[in-house]
Amino acid sequence: MAATQEEIVAGLAEIVNEIAGIPVEDVQLDKSFTDDLDVDSLSMVEVVVAAEERFDVKIPDDDVKDLKTVGDATNYILKNQD
Amino acid sequence: MSPTNRTVVVTGIGATTPLGGDAASTWEGLIAGKSGVKPLEQDWAAEQAVRIAAQIAVEPTEVIPRPQARKLDRSAQFALIAAQEAWKDAGFEAKAGDDVSVDPDRLGAVIASGIGGVTTLLDQYDVLKEKGVRRVSPHTVPMLMPNSPSANVGLLVGARAGVHTPVSACASGAEAIGYAIEMIRTGRADVVVAGGTEAAIHPLPIAAFGNMMAMSKNNDDPQGASRPYDTGRDGFVLGEGAGVVVLESAEHAAERGARVYAEAVGQGISADAHDIVQPEPEGRGIAHALRNLLDRTDLDPAEIVHVNAHATSTPAGDVAELKALRHVFGDDTDHMAVSATKSMTGHLLGGAGGVETVATVLALYHRVAPPTINVENLDPEAEANADIVRGEARKLPVEGRIAALNDSFGFGGHNVVLAFRTV
């Protein structure tokens, strides 16, 4: 079953917490991974791989650069999940 | 004094070792004659011939926040902990530039490792095989590269004069400190953070060293397994950790009123050109390094009262080193208290030169030589050539200028001798 927006944000929050140590409550739709959440470019790859597994979605490397905020990633997953 | 022959001093020390999470607790353990060797209790250890190691006293993840730690190989974690301690110990409040007493363009970092990020490499290969290409960590390369500890320490302190990583197996840490001394002596830098680190307690290195017959298989007596100079010695015990010092030109240290632990007099370097792993049995290469040290510095053998020996607890190596000391120093060897601290810390490979430099500098500073533990039956060849500090720590002369050596030798025939002196 496809995940809801709320479930995706909660899932991304757990992933970002694991990788960057940011409190889950700080991971919100308008937050930038790089500027607000301390996720550098290499760590972003880890976030993407973890999200792919969790939400059963493929995020090609070329699309990763467009995922600047948590909202961008959430919308991408909503649209592309199986 | 000419600008290319400047006096270098030690102004900061840091360590994380099998004996303690900092330099003070490590020193306390050394002086107390404590062994840091423990049984390996990991699942993989059961099938190994060697099931003991000198494992770190304080896990680095207890010190470094998890998000940072997961991007660092264990060897870099050790190096950062030791470097942070040494940096603060030297009296620096922040990274160079933010702390205006050190110019980043005149600050270097030289941290060595013998094997580098071997656990990262092997763990990520397991991930590749078990979980596939996509799951291999994007941090793998900056974690496993051998210059990762030096680069991360360079970032920590803001070093821009140069960041280097000499690799010479078990001499690496000492070579790093020698390189740093030269950077300052010749005017390339005013301050250099230098040392060695190693984190190789993993089934593959243990199996490999074990199959070389290089390691002690005394699994029934972990604390008695590392026994340099004892007739029953049967190989080294692998250790892990890091030792780092802050080196500084005497002038720079004086200008900012820094505490000085000791003068870093200089180094003697040579190569055996004998065998890829076997030491030259008469210690000729080591003697050559000792003579180079005397030729290139104003060190007087009469003032050397202590030697922190390389002595790893192998049958051939321990005695070759003592023969070299006797050959070069003659009767002056009689007033040198020789200590093998690997009897307590195990052998930290590329970290050894760092940790043992910390021990050597503190031995001068406190004027006491740590003991060699586990010497029950002193090898007659050791006894004939040198005065081994056995069992308990020994006081060094309380007055006058005294000097000490720290020897490190590595597979490949690398010989590095560092000399330090009270100020």
Side-chain angles (χ1 to χ4, degrees), chain B residues 147-393:
Chain B
N147 55 315
S148 179
S150 59
N152 277 293
V153 168
L155 287 167
L156 174 79
V157 298
R160 293 189 195 148
V163 171
H164 305 279
T165 311
V167 178
S168 48
C170 306
S172 302
E175 191 164 347
I177 291 167
Y179 192 102
I181 293 171
E182 288 301 294
M183 279 178 83
I184 297 170
R185 192 184 66 79
T186 58
R188 268 187 67 200
D190 294 325
V191 181
V192 181
V193 182
T197 185
E198 203 76 77
I201 298 178
H202 175 286
L204 188 109
I206 297 221
F209 280 124
N211 289 347
M212 289 178 85
M213 318 283 271
M215 292 174 94
S216 171
K217 296 185 175 74
N218 194 352
N219 299 313
D220 296 333
D221 181 17
Q223 305 215 328
S226 184
R227 45 197 319 114
Y229 308 129
D230 186 84
T231 49
R233 65 191 184 274
D234 68 338
F236 75 86
V237 174
L238 184 60
E240 62 175 353
V244 172
V245 292
V246 173
L247 296 161
E248 190 163 355
S249 78
E251 200 182 353
H252 194 273
E255 271 169 20
R256 66 182 190 92
R259 170 198 43 202
V260 173
Y261 283 102
E263 178 190 356
V265 182
Q267 61 180 332
I269 290 188
S270 75
D272 280 352
H274 170 73
D275 187 86
I276 193 69
V277 292
Q278 296 299 332
E280 196 284 316
E282 294 306 310
R284 288 188 181 91
I286 299 167
H288 185 202
L290 290 167
R291 278 192 298 267
N292 282 339
L293 171 73
L294 294 178
D295 289 348
R296 296 171 61 89
T297 64
D298 64 353
L299 186 71
D300 178 356
E303 62 190 355
I304 305 172
V305 297
H306 171 54
V307 178
N308 187 307
H310 180 65
T312 61
S313 185
T314 59
D318 291 9
V319 169
E321 179 182 10
L322 301 180
K323 286 181 186 168
L325 289 172
R326 175 66 57 181
H327 186 73
V328 173
F329 296 126
D331 291 346
D332 277 314
T333 317
D334 295 340
H335 55 71
M336 299 179 189
V338 177
S339 305
T341 49
K342 288 185 181 81
S343 59
M344 296 172 277
T345 62
H347 186 3
L348 279 71
L349 310 179
V355 170
E356 287 155 26
T357 287
V358 168
T360 306
V361 166
L362 285 175
L364 288 174
Y365 191 66
H366 296 298
R367 293 183 180 246
V368 56
T372 308
I373 64 166
N374 297 324
V375 187
E376 284 164 16
N377 298 297
L378 182 62
D379 184 325
E381 268 201 294
E383 190 164 24
N385 285 290
D387 177 12
I388 310 296
V389 183
R390 294 169 63 180
E392 287 182 4

Side-chain angles (χ1 to χ4, degrees), chain B residues 5-216:
Chain B
N5 194 18
R6 307 194 303 167
T7 301
V8 182
V9 294
V10 180
T11 54
I13 52 170
T16 183
T17 73
L19 297 176
D22 57 17
S25 53
T26 296
W27 177 246
E28 219 171 274
L30 288 173
I31 289 306
K34 192 175 130 190
S35 169
V37 183
K38 296 183 203 87
L40 283 166
E41 280 163 359
Q42 295 87 334
D43 291 341
W44 53 258
E47 62 178 14
Q48 297 272 347
V50 173
R51 295 187 298 279
I52 50 172
Q55 297 158 82
I56 203 80
V58 178
E59 273 300 315
T61 45
E62 290 176 28
V63 184
I64 300 177
R66 194 173 48 89
Q68 188 191 356
R70 60 195 297 289
K71 294 195 261 186
L72 295 166
D73 182 78
R74 192 171 170 83
S75 62
Q77 295 173 2
F78 293 151
L80 278 176
I81 290 167
Q84 177 75 49
E85 184 192 356
W87 187 247
K88 284 181 72 176
D89 186 53
F92 297 117
E93 305 283 339
K95 71 193 315 196
D98 293 343
D99 184 320
V100 295
S101 64
V102 55
D103 174 359
D105 291 343
R106 302 286 302 158
L107 170 67
V110 191
I111 307 286
S113 161
I115 315 189
V118 64
T119 55
T120 294
L121 176 65
L122 294 166
D123 289 348
Q124 289 301 317
Y125 187 56
D126 289 343
V127 170
L128 174 69
K129 283 183 299 179
E130 286 160 20
K131 297 179 179 166
V133 170
R134 188 68 172 156
R135 290 289 294 276
V136 171
S137 169
H139 302 293
T140 303
V141 171
M143 285 171 76
L144 73 80
M145 58 193 198
N147 55 315
S148 179
S150 59
N152 277 293
V153 168
L155 287 167
L156 174 79
V157 298
R160 293 189 195 148
V163 171
H164 305 279
T165 311
V167 178
S168 48
C170 306
S172 302
E175 191 164 347
I177 291 167
Y179 192 102
I181 293 171
E182 288 301 294
M183 279 178 83
I184 297 170
R185 192 184 66 79
T186 58
R188 268 187 67 200
D190 294 325
V191 181
V192 181
V193 182
T197 185
E198 203 76 77
I201 298 178
H202 175 286
L204 188 109
I206 297 221
F209 280 124
N211 289 347
M212 289 178 85
M213 318 283 271
M215 292 174 94
S216 171

